[in-house]
Amino acid sequence: MKLQTQIPLEPISGQLDYSSKILMLGSCFSQNMGAKLDYYQFQTLQNPFGILFNPLAIDNLLQKALNKYEYLEEDIFRLNGRWHCFDAHSNLSSASKEELLKNLNIALTRTNQFLREASHVFITLGTAWVYQHEKSNQFVANCHKVPQKEFGKHLLNIDEIRGSLQSIASAIEEINPDTSIVLTISPVRHLKDGFVENQRSKSHLITAVHELLGVLPLGIKGFYFPSYEIMMDELRDYRFYERDMVHPNSLAIDYIWEKFKEVLVSKDVEEVMEQVAEIQKGLAHRPFDVGSEAHQKFLKSLTQKIAYIKSKYPFMNFGNSS
């Protein structure tokens, strides 16, 4: 008896391994998959500007990184005792304008440098709804609790989204024509926009992504990973959501991660991933008696395992325990 419809999946060409360098951009779901890749010690750069929900925000980041833009005081503003930038998530906001500018420019430099070497760029689109700051005429990545009356709200149409995605692909091709782009739609529902509005938004994103994949620049490989479809069709039950009934819970994230591995991660690295997981579990272990002989033996064994795997993969970082 089948109690679930399953989405057919096929591995992509050029799957991830430990030589891959993966740039993760987009909504909080890209953070979920990025956290899994980090746990297994893949080489990643995650959302240097924080979570970005719409394609215009991602395009803006890449264009400024590519053009070596420098943020100045005129690009930021102060509200409620903190300095903010409309291009970045509030995680980068700071009580010091100097610190914010420094972190913004460091993030642009890191993005530029990492993109030049990236084997894969993983982009998760969350919404087609965008907010335009009326005074500056700027489409923002985050409103930073600026009064809503200062913004106009706009649903990007399919042509606008496709144009933004083409701009992203062209920027990537210019700096690194050998990379692969993996696009996905976030399964997180943006219900603050409205139930019908959320569905309109997701449908615009899905259509635009698939139109883009048919016209990618020569040399760029493009793939679609069906995160949204897996959540909607295979996990169509509220037990797979957090208490807010909007975000996938840890069980759903683990389930989609298994599908992600099936499609995107080479089976050749499974053994290394198991070794990394064993080390991570060892580092998380909390002993009853830190001075016991058994624990000292455990620590010695763990140190040896870390030294062995780092001899093969020097970029791995297990914190102070390494």
Side-chain angles (χ1 to χ4, degrees):
M1 179 184 295
K2 289 186 64 176
L3 299 177
Q4 183 189 52
T5 55
Q6 297 250 317
I7 295 172
L9 300 172
E10 293 185 6
I12 68 167
S13 60
Q15 291 179 303
L16 305 178
D17 59 28
Y18 279 102
S19 68
S20 302
K21 293 191 175 181
I22 310 141
L23 177 60
M24 310 286 292
L25 299 172
S27 84
C28 50
F29 189 73
S30 71
Q31 301 281 95
N32 297 144
M33 294 298 101
K36 296 289 189 184
L37 291 168
D38 276 352
Y39 179 84
Y40 288 103
Q41 294 286 316
F42 285 87
Q43 301 180 81
T44 65
L45 175 61
Q46 286 186 55
N47 276 338
F49 266 39
I51 293 168
L52 302 174
F53 296 102
N54 68 74
L56 298 187
I58 298 170
D59 186 17
N60 178 61
L61 165 61
L62 291 178
Q63 297 298 338
K64 285 183 173 175
L66 180 64
N67 293 316
K68 297 183 179 180
Y69 185 85
E70 181 181 2
Y71 280 97
L72 303 173
E73 187 173 342
E74 63 202 47
D75 297 311
I76 62 177
F77 64 96
R78 193 169 186 267
L79 179 70
N80 297 326
R82 292 179 67 79
W83 289 87
H84 310 273
C85 177
F86 279 134
D87 289 347
H89 191 269
S90 56
N91 286 348
L92 273 75
S93 298
S94 173
S96 163
K97 65 181 178 182
E98 291 81 11
E99 181 181 6
L100 174 58
L101 289 171
K102 175 185 174 183
N103 290 338
L104 289 169
N105 289 317
I106 288 173
L108 282 182
T109 300
R110 289 183 69 201
T111 303
N112 183 300
Q113 292 173 345
F114 197 92
L115 187 55
R116 291 179 184 277
E117 300 179 352
S119 60
H120 299 77
V121 179
F122 187 89
I123 297 174
T124 305
L125 302 176
T127 181
W129 287 100
V130 294
Y131 290 83
Q132 187 172 24
H133 189 236
E134 294 184 345
K135 184 177 180 180
S136 64
N137 204 34
Q138 175 185 0
F139 286 105
V140 304
N142 195 292
C143 294
H144 300 295
K145 298 184 179 179
V146 173
Q148 192 167 354
K149 64 182 180 181
E150 295 189 25
F151 298 92
K153 186 178 179 181
H154 173 65
L155 177 64
L156 296 173
N157 62 41
I158 294 168
D159 288 340
E160 288 172 319
I161 299 168
R162 186 181 62 244
S164 181
L165 293 175
Q166 286 175 326
S167 175
I168 290 169
S170 296
I172 293 172
E173 183 195 32
E174 181 176 338
I175 198 169
N176 185 354
D178 297 322
T179 195
S180 295
I181 300 175
V182 181
L183 294 156
T184 191
I185 307 302
S186 171
V188 178
R189 299 186 299 161
H190 289 249
L191 296 185
K192 289 183 180 180
D193 294 321
F195 284 82
V196 173
E197 289 80 2
N198 174 68
Q199 291 299 94
R200 291 177 65 197
S201 165
K202 298 293 189 186
S203 65
H204 284 200
L205 292 173
I206 292 168
T207 302
V209 163
H210 286 283
E211 288 188 2
L212 171 81
L213 289 175
V215 294
L216 275 175
L218 185 64
I220 292 284
K221 296 177 183 176
F223 304 96
Y224 181 73
F225 178 71
S227 303
Y228 177 78
E229 292 80 359
I230 291 170
M231 191 73 196
M232 294 297 106
D233 287 292
E234 295 191 23
L235 304 179
R236 49 191 307 161
D237 190 305
Y238 279 110
R239 65 194 169 102
F240 296 112
Y241 285 88
E242 295 285 6
R243 291 174 67 89
D244 63 6
M245 299 299 174
V246 170
H247 291 83
N249 62 18
S250 59
L251 181 60
I253 291 168
D254 287 346
Y255 183 93
I256 297 174
W257 165 249
E258 291 302 318
K259 301 289 186 177
F260 182 99
K261 285 197 300 180
E262 180 182 338
V263 172
L264 292 158
V265 181
S266 171
K267 292 189 179 297
D268 293 341
V269 299
E270 286 182 351
E271 184 178 349
V272 181
M273 292 175 70
E274 290 172 5
Q275 293 171 359
V276 170
E278 185 178 351
I279 291 171
Q280 299 283 31
K281 290 172 185 175
L283 292 171
H285 175 67
R286 295 294 175 262
F288 290 110
D289 183 0
V290 295
S292 68
E293 182 180 349
H295 183 60
Q296 295 308 308
K297 288 182 178 179
F298 170 81
L299 289 179
K300 182 178 180 180
S301 174
L302 183 59
T303 301
Q304 290 172 343
K305 290 175 182 176
I306 292 173
Y308 173 76
I309 202 164
K310 287 197 68 172
S311 69
K312 293 189 171 184
Y313 306 100
F315 58 82
M316 290 190 179
N317 182 7
F318 294 97
N320 294 333
S321 297
S322 61

mmCIF file with all atom_site columns, all heavy atoms in Angstrom, residues 181-195:
data_model
loop_
_atom_site.group_PDB
_atom_site.id
_atom_site.type_symbol
_atom_site.label_atom_id
_atom_site.label_alt_id
_atom_site.label_comp_id
_atom_site.label_asym_id
_atom_site.label_entity_id
_atom_site.label_seq_id
_atom_site.pdbx_PDB_ins_code
_atom_site.Cartn_x
_atom_site.Cartn_y
_atom_site.Cartn_z
_atom_site.occupancy
_atom_site.B_iso_or_equiv
_atom_site.pdbx_formal_charge
_atom_site.auth_seq_id
_atom_site.auth_comp_id
_atom_site.auth_asym_id
_atom_site.auth_atom_id
_atom_site.pdbx_PDB_model_num
ATOM 1   N N   . ILE A 1 181 ? 24.737 26.237 -11.231 1.00 0.00 ? 181 ILE A N   1
ATOM 2   C CA  . ILE A 1 181 ? 23.722 26.934 -10.436 1.00 0.00 ? 181 ILE A CA  1
ATOM 3   C C   . ILE A 1 181 ? 22.614 25.943 -10.097 1.00 0.00 ? 181 ILE A C   1
ATOM 4   O O   . ILE A 1 181 ? 22.062 25.287 -10.991 1.00 0.00 ? 181 ILE A O   1
ATOM 5   C CB  . ILE A 1 181 ? 23.128 28.124 -11.201 1.00 0.00 ? 181 ILE A CB  1
ATOM 6   C CG1 . ILE A 1 181 ? 24.219 29.135 -11.556 1.00 0.00 ? 181 ILE A CG1 1
ATOM 7   C CG2 . ILE A 1 181 ? 22.039 28.804 -10.371 1.00 0.00 ? 181 ILE A CG2 1
ATOM 8   C CD1 . ILE A 1 181 ? 23.728 30.288 -12.413 1.00 0.00 ? 181 ILE A CD1 1
ATOM 9   N N   . VAL A 1 182 ? 22.306 25.828 -8.807  1.00 0.00 ? 182 VAL A N   1
ATOM 10  C CA  . VAL A 1 182 ? 21.202 24.987 -8.363  1.00 0.00 ? 182 VAL A CA  1
ATOM 11  C C   . VAL A 1 182 ? 20.127 25.906 -7.795  1.00 0.00 ? 182 VAL A C   1
ATOM 12  O O   . VAL A 1 182 ? 20.369 26.643 -6.833  1.00 0.00 ? 182 VAL A O   1
ATOM 13  C CB  . VAL A 1 182 ? 21.650 23.966 -7.295  1.00 0.00 ? 182 VAL A CB  1
ATOM 14  C CG1 . VAL A 1 182 ? 20.468 23.093 -6.878  1.00 0.00 ? 182 VAL A CG1 1
ATOM 15  C CG2 . VAL A 1 182 ? 22.796 23.107 -7.818  1.00 0.00 ? 182 VAL A CG2 1
ATOM 16  N N   . LEU A 1 183 ? 18.963 25.884 -8.398  1.00 0.00 ? 183 LEU A N   1
ATOM 17  C CA  . LEU A 1 183 ? 17.858 26.744 -7.988  1.00 0.00 ? 183 LEU A CA  1
ATOM 18  C C   . LEU A 1 183 ? 16.785 25.922 -7.291  1.00 0.00 ? 183 LEU A C   1
ATOM 19  O O   . LEU A 1 183 ? 16.501 24.779 -7.668  1.00 0.00 ? 183 LEU A O   1
ATOM 20  C CB  . LEU A 1 183 ? 17.253 27.439 -9.204  1.00 0.00 ? 183 LEU A CB  1
ATOM 21  C CG  . LEU A 1 183 ? 18.167 28.449 -9.904  1.00 0.00 ? 183 LEU A CG  1
ATOM 22  C CD1 . LEU A 1 183 ? 17.754 28.629 -11.352 1.00 0.00 ? 183 LEU A CD1 1
ATOM 23  C CD2 . LEU A 1 183 ? 18.133 29.788 -9.179  1.00 0.00 ? 183 LEU A CD2 1
ATOM 24  N N   . THR A 1 184 ? 16.207 26.504 -6.275  1.00 0.00 ? 184 THR A N   1
ATOM 25  C CA  . THR A 1 184 ? 15.100 25.842 -5.589  1.00 0.00 ? 184 THR A CA  1
ATOM 26  C C   . THR A 1 184 ? 14.162 26.903 -5.033  1.00 0.00 ? 184 THR A C   1
ATOM 27  O O   . THR A 1 184 ? 14.548 28.065 -4.872  1.00 0.00 ? 184 THR A O   1
ATOM 28  C CB  . THR A 1 184 ? 15.621 24.917 -4.468  1.00 0.00 ? 184 THR A CB  1
ATOM 29  O OG1 . THR A 1 184 ? 14.552 24.098 -3.996  1.00 0.00 ? 184 THR A OG1 1
ATOM 30  C CG2 . THR A 1 184 ? 16.204 25.697 -3.316  1.00 0.00 ? 184 THR A CG2 1
ATOM 31  N N   . ILE A 1 185 ? 12.932 26.502 -4.749  1.00 0.00 ? 185 ILE A N   1
ATOM 32  C CA  . ILE A 1 185 ? 11.935 27.401 -4.160  1.00 0.00 ? 185 ILE A CA  1
ATOM 33  C C   . ILE A 1 185 ? 11.750 26.996 -2.703  1.00 0.00 ? 185 ILE A C   1
ATOM 34  O O   . ILE A 1 185 ? 11.552 25.813 -2.396  1.00 0.00 ? 185 ILE A O   1
ATOM 35  C CB  . ILE A 1 185 ? 10.589 27.311 -4.896  1.00 0.00 ? 185 ILE A CB  1
ATOM 36  C CG1 . ILE A 1 185 ? 10.783 27.534 -6.404  1.00 0.00 ? 185 ILE A CG1 1
ATOM 37  C CG2 . ILE A 1 185 ? 9.596  28.315 -4.317  1.00 0.00 ? 185 ILE A CG2 1
ATOM 38  C CD1 . ILE A 1 185 ? 11.421 28.835 -6.788  1.00 0.00 ? 185 ILE A CD1 1
ATOM 39  N N   . SER A 1 186 ? 11.821 27.956 -1.821  1.00 0.00 ? 186 SER A N   1
ATOM 40  C CA  . SER A 1 186 ? 11.704 27.661 -0.396  1.00 0.00 ? 186 SER A CA  1
ATOM 41  C C   . SER A 1 186 ? 10.328 27.097 -0.060  1.00 0.00 ? 186 SER A C   1
ATOM 42  O O   . SER A 1 186 ? 9.301  27.617 -0.502  1.00 0.00 ? 186 SER A O   1
ATOM 43  C CB  . SER A 1 186 ? 11.931 28.931 0.419   1.00 0.00 ? 186 SER A CB  1
ATOM 44  O OG  . SER A 1 186 ? 11.614 28.706 1.776   1.00 0.00 ? 186 SER A OG  1
ATOM 45  N N   . PRO A 1 187 ? 10.288 26.034 0.759   1.00 0.00 ? 187 PRO A N   1
ATOM 46  C CA  . PRO A 1 187 ? 9.002  25.499 1.202   1.00 0.00 ? 187 PRO A CA  1
ATOM 47  C C   . PRO A 1 187 ? 8.370  26.327 2.316   1.00 0.00 ? 187 PRO A C   1
ATOM 48  O O   . PRO A 1 187 ? 7.240  26.037 2.734   1.00 0.00 ? 187 PRO A O   1
ATOM 49  C CB  . PRO A 1 187 ? 9.365  24.092 1.694   1.00 0.00 ? 187 PRO A CB  1
ATOM 50  C CG  . PRO A 1 187 ? 10.792 24.185 2.106   1.00 0.00 ? 187 PRO A CG  1
ATOM 51  C CD  . PRO A 1 187 ? 11.424 25.196 1.184   1.00 0.00 ? 187 PRO A CD  1
ATOM 52  N N   . VAL A 1 188 ? 9.079  27.341 2.827   1.00 0.00 ? 188 VAL A N   1
ATOM 53  C CA  . VAL A 1 188 ? 8.511  28.203 3.855   1.00 0.00 ? 188 VAL A CA  1
ATOM 54  C C   . VAL A 1 188 ? 7.387  29.037 3.243   1.00 0.00 ? 188 VAL A C   1
ATOM 55  O O   . VAL A 1 188 ? 7.562  29.674 2.203   1.00 0.00 ? 188 VAL A O   1
ATOM 56  C CB  . VAL A 1 188 ? 9.584  29.137 4.457   1.00 0.00 ? 188 VAL A CB  1
ATOM 57  C CG1 . VAL A 1 188 ? 8.962  30.072 5.492   1.00 0.00 ? 188 VAL A CG1 1
ATOM 58  C CG2 . VAL A 1 188 ? 10.698 28.315 5.087   1.00 0.00 ? 188 VAL A CG2 1
ATOM 59  N N   . ARG A 1 189 ? 6.233  29.038 3.900   1.00 0.00 ? 189 ARG A N   1
ATOM 60  C CA  . ARG A 1 189 ? 5.089  29.789 3.385   1.00 0.00 ? 189 ARG A CA  1
ATOM 61  C C   . ARG A 1 189 ? 5.108  31.209 3.952   1.00 0.00 ? 189 ARG A C   1
ATOM 62  O O   . ARG A 1 189 ? 5.219  31.404 5.152   1.00 0.00 ? 189 ARG A O   1
ATOM 63  C CB  . ARG A 1 189 ? 3.785  29.087 3.771   1.00 0.00 ? 189 ARG A CB  1
ATOM 64  C CG  . ARG A 1 189 ? 3.687  27.680 3.198   1.00 0.00 ? 189 ARG A CG  1
ATOM 65  C CD  . ARG A 1 189 ? 2.332  27.058 3.458   1.00 0.00 ? 189 ARG A CD  1
ATOM 66  N NE  . ARG A 1 189 ? 2.064  26.933 4.889   1.00 0.00 ? 189 ARG A NE  1
ATOM 67  C CZ  . ARG A 1 189 ? 0.845  26.766 5.408   1.00 0.00 ? 189 ARG A CZ  1
ATOM 68  N NH1 . ARG A 1 189 ? -0.205 26.713 4.618   1.00 0.00 ? 189 ARG A NH1 1
ATOM 69  N NH2 . ARG A 1 189 ? 0.685  26.639 6.707   1.00 0.00 ? 189 ARG A NH2 1
ATOM 70  N N   . HIS A 1 190 ? 4.994  32.193 3.068   1.00 0.00 ? 190 HIS A N   1
ATOM 71  C CA  . HIS A 1 190 ? 4.989  33.595 3.486   1.00 0.00 ? 190 HIS A CA  1
ATOM 72  C C   . HIS A 1 190 ? 3.536  34.043 3.665   1.00 0.00 ? 190 HIS A C   1
ATOM 73  O O   . HIS A 1 190 ? 2.986  34.792 2.865   1.00 0.00 ? 190 HIS A O   1
ATOM 74  C CB  . HIS A 1 190 ? 5.714  34.453 2.445   1.00 0.00 ? 190 HIS A CB  1
ATOM 75  C CG  . HIS A 1 190 ? 7.192  34.233 2.422   1.00 0.00 ? 190 HIS A CG  1
ATOM 76  N ND1 . HIS A 1 190 ? 8.098  35.183 2.833   1.00 0.00 ? 190 HIS A ND1 1
ATOM 77  C CD2 . HIS A 1 190 ? 7.932  33.153 2.075   1.00 0.00 ? 190 HIS A CD2 1
ATOM 78  C CE1 . HIS A 1 190 ? 9.328  34.708 2.730   1.00 0.00 ? 190 HIS A CE1 1
ATOM 79  N NE2 . HIS A 1 190 ? 9.245  33.480 2.256   1.00 0.00 ? 190 HIS A NE2 1
ATOM 80  N N   . LEU A 1 191 ? 2.940  33.577 4.758   1.00 0.00 ? 191 LEU A N   1
ATOM 81  C CA  . LEU A 1 191 ? 1.508  33.806 4.957   1.00 0.00 ? 191 LEU A CA  1
ATOM 82  C C   . LEU A 1 191 ? 1.186  35.231 5.403   1.00 0.00 ? 191 LEU A C   1
ATOM 83  O O   . LEU A 1 191 ? 0.023  35.631 5.360   1.00 0.00 ? 191 LEU A O   1
ATOM 84  C CB  . LEU A 1 191 ? 0.956  32.802 5.971   1.00 0.00 ? 191 LEU A CB  1
ATOM 85  C CG  . LEU A 1 191 ? 1.017  31.328 5.520   1.00 0.00 ? 191 LEU A CG  1
ATOM 86  C CD1 . LEU A 1 191 ? 0.330  30.447 6.545   1.00 0.00 ? 191 LEU A CD1 1
ATOM 87  C CD2 . LEU A 1 191 ? 0.389  31.143 4.147   1.00 0.00 ? 191 LEU A CD2 1
ATOM 88  N N   . LYS A 1 192 ? 2.209  35.991 5.821   1.00 0.00 ? 192 LYS A N   1
ATOM 89  C CA  . LYS A 1 192 ? 1.952  37.396 6.155   1.00 0.00 ? 192 LYS A CA  1
ATOM 90  C C   . LYS A 1 192 ? 1.507  38.165 4.918   1.00 0.00 ? 192 LYS A C   1
ATOM 91  O O   . LYS A 1 192 ? 0.831  39.195 5.027   1.00 0.00 ? 192 LYS A O   1
ATOM 92  C CB  . LYS A 1 192 ? 3.200  38.033 6.756   1.00 0.00 ? 192 LYS A CB  1
ATOM 93  C CG  . LYS A 1 192 ? 3.510  37.535 8.164   1.00 0.00 ? 192 LYS A CG  1
ATOM 94  C CD  . LYS A 1 192 ? 4.711  38.252 8.753   1.00 0.00 ? 192 LYS A CD  1
ATOM 95  C CE  . LYS A 1 192 ? 5.003  37.751 10.161  1.00 0.00 ? 192 LYS A CE  1
ATOM 96  N NZ  . LYS A 1 192 ? 6.187  38.428 10.766  1.00 0.00 ? 192 LYS A NZ  1
ATOM 97  N N   . ASP A 1 193 ? 1.894  37.670 3.745   1.00 0.00 ? 193 ASP A N   1
ATOM 98  C CA  . ASP A 1 193 ? 1.439  38.293 2.499   1.00 0.00 ? 193 ASP A CA  1
ATOM 99  C C   . ASP A 1 193 ? 0.006  37.901 2.167   1.00 0.00 ? 193 ASP A C   1
ATOM 100 O O   . ASP A 1 193 ? -0.636 38.549 1.343   1.00 0.00 ? 193 ASP A O   1
ATOM 101 C CB  . ASP A 1 193 ? 2.359  37.876 1.340   1.00 0.00 ? 193 ASP A CB  1
ATOM 102 C CG  . ASP A 1 193 ? 3.767  38.416 1.491   1.00 0.00 ? 193 ASP A CG  1
ATOM 103 O OD1 . ASP A 1 193 ? 3.904  39.572 1.935   1.00 0.00 ? 193 ASP A OD1 1
ATOM 104 O OD2 . ASP A 1 193 ? 4.721  37.688 1.179   1.00 0.00 ? 193 ASP A OD2 1
ATOM 105 N N   . GLY A 1 194 ? -0.477 36.818 2.790   1.00 0.00 ? 194 GLY A N   1
ATOM 106 C CA  . GLY A 1 194 ? -1.798 36.288 2.484   1.00 0.00 ? 194 GLY A CA  1
ATOM 107 C C   . GLY A 1 194 ? -1.691 34.894 1.881   1.00 0.00 ? 194 GLY A C   1
ATOM 108 O O   . GLY A 1 194 ? -0.682 34.562 1.243   1.00 0.00 ? 194 GLY A O   1
ATOM 109 N N   . PHE A 1 195 ? -2.705 34.071 2.082   1.00 0.00 ? 195 PHE A N   1
ATOM 110 C CA  . PHE A 1 195 ? -2.676 32.691 1.593   1.00 0.00 ? 195 PHE A CA  1
ATOM 111 C C   . PHE A 1 195 ? -2.660 32.641 0.068   1.00 0.00 ? 195 PHE A C   1
ATOM 112 O O   . PHE A 1 195 ? -1.828 31.951 -0.537  1.00 0.00 ? 195 PHE A O   1
ATOM 113 C CB  . PHE A 1 195 ? -3.892 31.922 2.132   1.00 0.00 ? 195 PHE A CB  1
ATOM 114 C CG  . PHE A 1 195 ? -3.769 31.535 3.577   1.00 0.00 ? 195 PHE A CG  1
ATOM 115 C CD1 . PHE A 1 195 ? -4.069 32.442 4.575   1.00 0.00 ? 195 PHE A CD1 1
ATOM 116 C CD2 . PHE A 1 195 ? -3.328 30.270 3.932   1.00 0.00 ? 195 PHE A CD2 1
ATOM 117 C CE1 . PHE A 1 195 ? -3.943 32.099 5.911   1.00 0.00 ? 195 PHE A CE1 1
ATOM 118 C CE2 . PHE A 1 195 ? -3.201 29.911 5.265   1.00 0.00 ? 195 PHE A CE2 1
ATOM 119 C CZ  . PHE A 1 195 ? -3.512 30.828 6.260   1.00 0.00 ? 195 PHE A CZ  1
#
